[in-house]
Amino acid sequence: MVGIVTYGVYIPKFRIKVEEIARVWGGNAEDVTGGLGVFSKSVPDLDEDTATIAVEAARNALRRREIDPRDIEAVYVGSESHPYAVKPTACTVGEAIGATPTMTAADFEFACKAGTAGIQTCMGMVASGMIRYGLAIGSDVAQGAPSDALEYTAAAGGAAYLIGNDDPIAILHRTCSFTTDTPDFWRREGQDYPRHGGRFTGEPGYFKHVEGAVRLMFEQTGKNPKDYTYAVFHQPNAKFPQRVAKILGFSADQIKPGLVVPRLGNTYSGSSLIGLAATLDVARPGDRIFMASFGSGAGSDAFDIEVTDAIEAGAFHRDAAPGVEKLLENPVYIGYAQYARHKGKIVMQ
Amino acid sequence: MSSVARFWRKIPQRYNLIGSRCTNCGRYFFPPRSFCPDCRRTGKIEEHKFLGTGEVVTFTVVRSASEQFQQMTPYVLAIVKLDEGPRLTAQVVCNPEEARIGMKVRPVFRRISADGESGVIHYGTKYVPVN
Amino acid sequence: MRDVAVIGIGCTTFGEKWETSFRDLFLEAGALALEDAQLSGERIDALYVGNMSAGRFVEQEHVGALIADYAGLASRHIPSTRVESACCSGSLAFRQAVIAVASGLEEIVVAAGVEKMTDVETSTSVDALAAAADREWEGFVGATFPGLYAMIATDYMHRYPLTREQLAKVAVKNHYNGARNPIAQFQQEITVDTVLRSSLVSDPLRLFDCSPITDGAAAVILAPLERAREFCDTPVRVLASTQASDTIALHDRRDISTLDASVVAGKRAFQMSGLALRDIDLVEVHDCFTIAEICAIEDLGFCRKGEAGKLTEEGVTALNGDLPVNTSGGLKACGHPVGATGIKQVCEVVLQLRGEAGRRQVEGAEVGMTHNVGGTGATVAVHILGV
């Protein structure tokens, strides 16, 4: 069965509090945190970017399971902040984990769901016998323009999933997608920051597509929320995933382990994948996990996942790499000035 | 540092600490050497991937840097002794007050420098303290 | 091998010489040296010029020919050779000139050193100087030159009882001497406080622990000893000329706080000259940073490892001490036009041995030593001169 063979996460250690951002722009911190349910967000170090985060996540995945990197025959990195417009992040990752040169690779972009698109691609390639293992990564150092609503949440982090069919820790039973042309959020070539349609990002964007993908999955499988131990939804803020869970009939307990956005912020392409990792960190054999990502533009990928015995036995060592909770612990809080420096918002001569 | 070939040819060393070892005397080399200073021509050199972990031998906090590194200041620069024996120079990502001689460190993948705004980005290995 | 003597010396003032170009610097020093030897340029048989990085500092290579040309010697077609070993370039040019005369191949030879460093921005000169270390494995990761010497200082202070104040006293002493040297870049005395209050460049080294960026040139004229009195009344003999090398990168050294190349070049110089430590009346050492002077005094054998700080504090290395070190002001106060430094050290020792050092004269000086380092110790040259 095709599934997740191992996974790894990386989150930079720096955080900025939403109230610090609000202080600078004269916003009301309580309104912002109350409205978004986000209290702090991760900030990359001066020398961290999508590529370094992707490499650290991939290396954490390989720490948990001994895999000959030469058997990784595909590397896909999903991001909306690739360090180069032209020159793949995936090649840097492949080189840094020793998977080059006998591999295929590409960078994916589908706003916040490019990472799950990578998983789908790897699933198909493994199932068809084209490759033994495929590595799908969602990694971002998310951009939000100064004073824009996005600035309160745009965070940094990534997760890597190795997809294969021998002894997976979680079986990927099925995936389906719901995609339309919807301009809810975009960034034009050459622009530093994305723009968005404000409240338009809600109903016609996030909710229509996530609900669409989830309902499609239920139609195809005949399952319903009660069949799942946990659920993970894309989390641009805490409000959206909680609301969509409620609409679809998932409980607060089901989404709780994977709801990392209040402390982490929105890691864009890393968002639902870090949520899934946080869920896998606590999952037991037999647990069933539902995941639906969302990418503006717009689309949602839904996954029906079943955790296997392998997560607690044999070749997989969950403790060999830091879990999401560990990565969220003991952050270094920084002020807006240092945050601006880290994010390259200060123009250097 | 504007030559791309010059960075490219060292990618295995910079990303993955691929050094070398003399199979005759067992001495490890990082940065790699293709000629053993002890065994001379009787030495046989083979590739060796270093574990990467080591400890700080000496360090400084660079507060005034060349143009390529100015935006990183202040940063901790150290000589790190790898577990296999050889020493190398690297940045240690930590609070300057944290740096200590004898501090155990492990490698991380970071951006080292870039050739301006439009040139290539030089990735490589830095170190972080082991908790 | 013939004995060799210095028959003329010339040195420009050192400093930020905005109005003077690379070639003008050399010409000024060369003219002073010829005048000192009362020699016509037509008598020169060969020229060696020490220069570290004209390519980076003034975008000019091929400086051997350039200098011979602007010295008016193009039509005479004499051999003119540029010598490079980073900050040790001057001493190696001197050594090549000594070898040329000693071998009998040449008669009258000029050894010069020149560096024009202020035509580029500071960050560019910092980068150019970092090329004296291992560019691929030190410079690439952000190692600066002060950073590398700072790592020597951290290691040293961890292992030996050197205090921050003792380190500062190296700079205080050298500024005292510089204030008595008309060519020195810095003409004012400083206090320990000046050093300790200056900004950190690379911990624990502060701005006043560092030698400055300097324009300057120096030249000396060599002749066989047996002919030296044809040109001057007080020829100074070259008693030893040695050179040693070590790993290019600091991290590969046997001992981070010991420059083995200094130890070896020093020992060989004493062997070559047949002299002992007590015979040395003064020494010009390579104090590109205060910690470098501490290491040099020890590595050359003047005291045991870990004792040079105390020696400095007690005034042993002061102008009126038992072993005056860096009477010129050293690299610290006299300035450090990298390629010229080795030649300037020779000029200073010659002045002292001739008794012409004015307010900084070491009374009765008969034997002096120079010690010049390239990089963080990958090349070291030592010379002993005597009257």
Side-chain angles (χ1 to χ4, degrees):
Chain A
M1 295 291 272
V2 176
I4 298 162
V5 173
T6 183
Y7 69 100
V9 174
Y10 181 77
I11 297 166
K13 69 176 178 183
F14 296 101
R15 304 283 182 279
I16 185 167
K17 290 182 175 165
V18 162
E19 62 192 59
E20 169 68 1
I21 299 172
R23 180 185 67 81
V24 170
W25 299 113
N28 184 323
E30 280 172 26
D31 286 354
V32 178
T33 53
L36 299 172
V38 177
F39 302 93
S40 65
K41 67 168 194 172
S42 60
V43 181
D45 205 340
L46 285 163
D47 53 3
E48 290 184 309
D49 62 18
T50 291
T52 67
I53 288 169
V55 168
E56 290 295 329
R59 285 180 174 174
N60 276 338
L62 296 177
R63 280 186 184 105
R64 285 179 164 145
R65 189 165 197 151
E66 201 173 320
I67 299 280
D68 185 340
R70 286 167 299 188
D71 290 335
I72 300 171
E73 295 173 290
V75 176
Y76 297 109
V77 180
S79 180
E80 51 188 278
S81 52
H82 287 291
Y84 290 91
V86 178
K87 188 190 173 304
T89 308
C91 295
T92 303
V93 174
E95 197 77 46
I97 60 169
T100 50
T102 52
M103 60 172 225
T104 181
D107 284 359
F108 282 9
E109 186 281 307
F110 194 145
C112 298
K113 81 159 194 75
T116 56
I119 290 181
Q120 291 179 323
T121 307
C122 290
M123 284 171 70
M125 293 172 83
V126 169
S128 69
M130 264 181 80
I131 59 170
R132 180 160 181 199
Y133 297 117
L135 184 65
I137 301 174
S139 172
D140 253 309
V141 284
Q143 308 106 334
S147 93
D148 187 278
L150 290 175
E151 195 186 24
Y152 290 104
T153 55
Y161 286 82
L162 190 70
I163 309 302
N165 58 12
D166 50 348
D167 197 24
I169 58 155
I171 297 163
L172 296 163
H173 282 294
R174 180 181 281 271
T175 180
C176 64
S177 300
F178 187 95
T179 308
T180 70
D181 186 345
T182 305
D184 58 330
F185 170 107
W186 64 90
R187 180 166 65 85
R188 292 274 298 274
E189 188 67 52
Q191 296 296 304
D192 288 337
Y193 297 109
R195 287 180 57 185
H196 53 84
R199 288 185 55 78
F200 183 73
T201 59
E203 289 305 332
Y206 183 89
F207 292 98
K208 174 180 165 185
H209 292 84
V210 172
E211 287 171 35
V214 175
R215 294 210 159 97
L216 189 61
M217 177 71 89
F218 287 166
E219 276 168 30
Q220 290 177 359
T221 60
K223 292 192 179 303
N224 66 64
K226 302 221 164 18
D227 294 320
Y228 291 92
T229 326
Y230 302 113
V232 180
F233 297 102
H234 173 56
Q235 35 204 284
N237 50 53
K239 196 170 68 179
F240 280 21
Q242 284 172 318
R243 194 168 132 208
V244 86
K246 196 171 177 185
I247 292 167
L248 291 164
F250 288 95
S251 72
D253 283 347
Q254 281 172 299
I255 63 167
K256 195 177 168 200
L259 195 65
V260 292
V261 66
R263 285 178 291 166
L264 176 61
N266 180 7
T267 53
Y268 287 28
S269 300
S271 175
S272 51
L273 291 182
I274 294 175
L276 175 62
T279 308
L280 288 171
D281 285 348
V282 298
R284 305 285 315 274
D287 283 349
R288 199 100 180 182
I289 304 171
F290 192 96
M291 174 172 73
S293 63
F294 171 71
S296 289
S300 174
D301 304 328
F303 294 83
D304 176 21
I305 304 165
E306 184 185 356
V307 179
T308 72
D309 292 344
I311 201 162
E312 287 183 350
F316 183 76
H317 308 283
R318 195 155 45 178
D319 294 339
V324 175
E325 190 54 39
K326 173 93 182 155
L327 290 164
L328 287 173
E329 276 172 11
N330 304 317
V332 175
Y333 288 102
I334 57 177
Y336 194 90
Q338 196 182 343
Y339 159 76
R341 188 180 169 203
H342 280 226
K343 290 294 293 171
K345 290 174 198 256
I346 297 174
V347 179
M348 303 281 282
Q349 280 276 312
Chain B
M1 279 284 181
S2 56
S3 160
V4 291
R6 193 168 161 192
F7 167 72
W8 162 82
R9 74 171 74 93
K10 298 287 186 217
I11 280 178
Q13 290 81 21
R14 303 225 190 273
Y15 287 15
N16 288 321
L17 297 170
I18 306 296
S20 60
R21 177 175 174 267
C22 173
T23 54
N24 196 47
C25 67
R27 190 171 158 191
Y28 291 94
F29 304 105
F30 194 92
R33 286 177 188 262
S34 49
F35 188 71
C36 176
D38 297 330
C39 303
R40 321 267 332 147
R41 276 179 296 166
T42 60
K44 285 207 165 46
I45 301 287
E46 65 175 28
E47 215 175 74
H48 174 77
K49 186 178 191 302
F50 282 84
L51 297 169
T53 43
E55 70 172 55
V56 170
V57 173
T58 184
F59 69 94
T60 182
V61 183
V62 176
R63 296 172 192 275
S64 173
S66 65
E67 207 164 342
Q68 271 192 317
F69 292 92
Q70 259 170 3
Q71 58 186 25
M72 286 298 298
T73 57
Y75 55 88
V76 175
L77 181 77
I79 291 178
V80 172
K81 184 177 192 292
L82 296 172
D83 290 343
E84 291 94 331
R87 294 183 299 207
L88 55 82
T89 302
Q91 285 185 35
V92 178
V93 183
C94 69
N95 194 325
E97 288 79 47
E98 258 182 87
R100 294 279 178 279
I101 287 174
M103 183 166 80
K104 302 279 183 212
V105 290
R106 65 177 176 85
V108 289
F109 190 79
R110 296 280 176 130
R111 212 187 247 244
I112 306 295
S113 64
D115 181 17
E117 284 290 304
S118 59
V120 297
I121 301 163
H122 303 137
Y123 292 102
T125 302
K126 293 190 183 180
Y127 283 81
V128 292
V130 175
N131 297 329
Chain C
M1 297 276 271
R2 299 190 286 185
D3 282 332
V4 180
V6 178
I7 59 166
I9 57 169
C11 203
T12 67
T13 55
F14 280 10
E16 293 172 320
K17 298 168 78 73
W18 306 114
E19 291 173 355
T20 314
S21 69
F22 177 85
R23 57 190 84 183
D24 290 342
L25 278 172
F26 167 80
L27 273 188
E28 188 185 330
L32 288 167
L34 287 170
E35 201 175 305
D36 185 49
Q38 296 182 317
L39 195 75
S40 156
E42 289 159 16
R43 303 283 300 271
I44 296 164
D45 297 314
L47 208 154
Y48 290 91
V49 57
N51 172 258
M52 173 180 169
S53 201
R56 291 294 301 277
F57 290 125
V58 291
E59 296 173 11
Q60 175 71 58
E61 305 292 10
H62 207 173
V63 301
L66 171 85
I67 277 166
D69 180 8
Y70 273 75
L73 299 172
S75 61
R76 298 184 54 80
H77 310 294
I78 62 160
S80 180
T81 309
R82 176 217 185 144
V83 181
E84 190 277 313
S85 59
C87 313
C88 190
S89 302
S91 279
L92 291 209
F94 182 73
R95 190 161 188 273
Q96 292 308 307
V98 169
I99 291 167
V101 175
S103 71
L105 199 65
E106 312 285 3
E107 287 291 301
I108 311 291
V109 177
V110 172
V114 56
E115 210 77 55
K116 175 74 193 171
M117 299 172 74
T118 61
D119 277 357
V120 292
E121 287 183 31
T122 305
S123 61
T124 308
S125 56
V126 167
D127 190 57
L129 291 169
D134 188 334
R135 170 62 80 176
E136 298 263 53
W137 302 108
E138 294 182 313
F140 176 83
V141 300
T144 58
F145 226 65
L148 292 167
Y149 271 95
M151 290 201 290
I152 295 177
T154 305
D155 178 67
Y156 188 106
M157 293 172 94
H158 182 71
R159 293 162 60 191
Y160 305 107
L162 173 72
T163 66
R164 202 25 282 213
E165 286 71 20
Q166 287 171 337
L167 205 50
K169 281 182 177 157
V170 173
V172 172
K173 167 187 70 77
N174 290 349
H175 270 258
Y176 178 90
N177 295 349
R180 282 150 184 79
N181 182 357
I183 70 152
Q185 181 162 5
F186 298 126
Q187 295 285 337
Q188 66 278 40
E189 293 179 26
I190 59 167
T191 65
V192 167
D193 246 21
T194 318
V195 183
L196 299 186
R197 282 187 192 164
S198 64
S199 56
L200 276 164
V201 172
S202 204
D203 306 15
L205 301 181
R206 294 175 177 273
L207 187 65
F208 274 80
D209 288 302
C210 308
S211 56
I213 285 168
T214 309
D215 300 328
V220 300
I221 301 170
L222 299 174
L225 181 65
E226 71 251 22
R227 291 186 55 197
R229 291 206 184 265
E230 289 174 32
F231 309 102
C232 74
D233 300 333
T234 50
V236 170
R237 281 180 65 183
V238 180
L239 301 173
S241 173
T242 64
Q243 176 188 341
S245 52
D246 202 345
T247 63
I248 185 80
L250 179 64
H251 55 236
D252 281 332
R253 300 282 161 72
R254 181 189 61 80
D255 179 335
I256 287 167
S257 288
T258 303
L259 278 65
D260 280 349
S262 289
V263 175
V264 171
K267 272 192 187 141
R268 285 181 187 160
F270 284 112
Q271 280 165 8
M272 190 174 178
S273 61
L275 296 171
L277 285 162
R278 63 175 180 280
D279 297 321
I280 305 295
D281 296 316
L282 72 133
V283 55
E284 287 283 301
V285 304
H286 196 89
D287 61 324
C288 49
F289 301 93
T290 48
I291 185 66
E293 176 165 322
I294 296 290
C295 290
I297 292 167
E298 295 165 348
D299 296 342
L300 292 170
F302 292 107
C303 65
R304 279 191 302 221
K305 206 73 206 165
E307 291 179 351
K310 192 159 160 276
L311 224 62
T312 304
E313 190 166 36
E314 289 169 352
V316 175
T317 59
L319 207 46
N320 58 359
D322 288 344
L323 178 73
V325 175
N326 284 330
T327 56
S328 69
L331 285 55
K332 173 72 204 78
C334 189
H336 184 26
V338 281
T341 285
I343 303 290
K344 180 225 74 181
Q345 292 178 324
V346 172
C347 291
E348 173 67 11
V349 170
V350 168
L351 273 181
Q352 290 281 359
L353 301 188
R354 286 181 185 170
E356 295 171 3
R359 290 206 296 150
R360 63 185 193 287
Q361 181 64 45
V362 175
E363 288 310 317
E366 289 175 352
V367 177
M369 179 187 250
T370 67
H371 162 263
N372 193 193
V373 178
T376 53
T379 301
V380 173
V382 170
H383 287 93
I384 300 177
L385 304 162
V387 284

